[in-house]
Each structure stands twice: as C-alpha cells, then as structure tokens.
Amino acid sequence: MSVRVAILLSGGGSNMVRLVESMTGDHPARPVLVMSNDPAAGGLARATALGVDTAAVDHRLFAGDRAAFEDVLHARLMQAEPDLICLAGFMRILTGDFTARWAGRMLNIHPSLLPKYRGLHTHARALEAGDTEAGCTVHEVTADLDDGPIRGQARVPVMPDDCAESLAARVLKAEHRLYPAVVRRFAGGDRTPLMLG
Ligand code: GRF
C-alpha cells in the first residue's frame, strides 16, 4: 500500500515536478493531489500534464479569514486521503490548528540552512551576512514558522560574484536533489536527517 502524498504549492512547481517524477517504481509513496491557494499557479498545469489530480482553493476569497480558508483546504485535502503533505513553494502561513491536524505528516522545503534565515529573502540575507555557504532544508511543519524538526539539508557554496538570483538558482538545484530523497526516506518510515554536500 503506497504512502499517499499531497503537494501544496503557490507558484511554478519545479519542486513538485521533481517530487512527482521521483515517486515511481519501488518508491514507497505516490502523489495523489497537487493543490494551490492560487488557481492560476503554473504548477497546477504541470501537475495535470504529469497525470496528477489538482485542486485550488483561492485564499483571496476568504478576505483574511485564515481559519475559514484552512477549513476548506483541509476538507479538499481529506477527499484525497493523503498520508503525507509536502509544502513546495506554498506561500501561505498556516495556523497552529492546521499544522496540529497534520503533525508528523507535513514537510516543507525552505531555501536556507535552518535555523539560519527563517522567513523570506533568505539569499539576500546570506549574501548580506557574507556567508560562504548556503543551502536548503526540509523540515517537519509545526506552528512555528520554518522551525520544525529538520529531516534533511543540502549545502552549496556562495561564489564571490553571486547575486540573490544566482544563489537562488544554485540552491533550487539542490532543493530538487534534496526534497525527493528526503520524501523517499520519510515515506519509508526513516526519520534520520539526510545531509547532502
Ligand atoms: C523554492 O525556492 C522553495 O525553497 C521556496 O519556494 C520555491 C519553490 O519553487 N519555498 P517551485 O515553485 O518549487 O519552483
């Protein structure tokens, strides 16, 4: 019986594509839904092209009522009966009530070496600090933003002539390696953090 994975995104979905493409053969998990808070998210069309069911719950229809938005999101998720949720460029902050419903069953990928640089603009902040290395982190999602147990990290060098965009592109490539490997390990029941160079 495969582990049923739902992926939540807000944008183009390059991480979603790698996750979906990885869940084949002897992989213990299979994608069952790709959902977005933005009906126009490019990742939804990419998921359809990959043969994965999609859904959208437009957060703008809830006029800031985060709980009401999450109730609809949760109800739609439950229709797919996921065992694991992967946030992949999902740009809405989730309340403690929602994260509690999925405790231990929800992962996120964040473009920094947590606990450094929680929140936004991680690459600009790393450059500003003069860091010589950067990277990405897969962590379990808790009520605290970008703060749950770390399940994997990948490190990349910061080059002297890097700008935020060039560093982001290098980190994104590392995300595409890290997230599928962590999801395969996590879906297999192994909680050992995966550290990639
Ligand atoms: C990635 O940089 C991820 O770290 C951040 O949002 C971006 C998602 O990109 N959370 P994509 O939509 O997967 O291409």
Side-chain angles (χ1 to χ4, degrees):
M1 188 75 166
S2 295
V3 172
R4 298 170 61 85
V5 174
I7 301 169
L8 273 59
L9 54 77
S10 299
S14 71
N15 274 290
M16 175 276 299
V17 169
R18 273 63 178 193
L19 287 173
V20 168
E21 290 176 340
S22 73
M23 289 185 259
T24 60
D26 65 351
H27 192 299
R30 289 294 183 274
V32 295
L33 181 69
V34 172
M35 183 152 69
S36 182
N37 61 292
D38 179 357
L44 295 175
R46 295 172 88 174
T48 298
L50 291 167
V52 183
D53 286 347
T54 63
V57 179
D58 189 340
H59 70 277
R60 290 162 298 197
L61 302 178
F62 296 86
D65 184 342
R66 212 176 277 276
F69 165 67
E70 291 178 354
D71 284 346
V72 175
L73 196 75
H74 181 78
R76 180 60 185 86
L77 272 170
M78 293 308 286
Q79 290 176 24
E81 297 178 304
D83 303 301
L84 176 63
I85 297 177
C86 292
L87 307 183
F90 186 68
M91 303 310 278
R92 305 299 298 166
I93 291 177
L94 297 165
T95 66
D97 287 346
F98 188 90
T99 58
R101 291 178 186 170
W102 297 96
R105 301 185 294 156
M106 183 154 60
L107 297 173
N108 179 47
I109 188 155
H110 180 75
S112 80
L113 294 172
L114 293 173
K116 294 180 81 170
Y117 312 130
R118 293 187 179 94
L120 299 174
H121 312 303
T122 60
H123 308 304
R125 291 156 67 190
L127 292 172
E128 180 67 27
D131 293 353
T132 55
E133 77 173 0
C136 50
T137 302
V138 176
H139 63 93
E140 291 191 38
V141 177
T142 62
D144 299 323
L145 182 67
D146 301 330
D147 190 49
I150 289 175
R151 296 299 177 218
Q153 287 194 313
R155 295 173 183 275
V156 301
V158 177
M159 309 309 280
D161 58 348
D162 264 330
C163 59
E165 291 73 22
S166 60
L167 181 54
R170 190 173 311 117
V171 171
L172 190 60
K173 286 193 177 70
E175 292 175 31
H176 294 164
R177 290 191 296 122
L178 179 69
Y179 213 175
V182 171
V183 169
R184 184 183 184 112
R185 176 175 288 197
F186 195 88
D190 184 350
R191 296 291 179 269
T192 313
L194 176 65
M195 297 303 172
L196 301 181

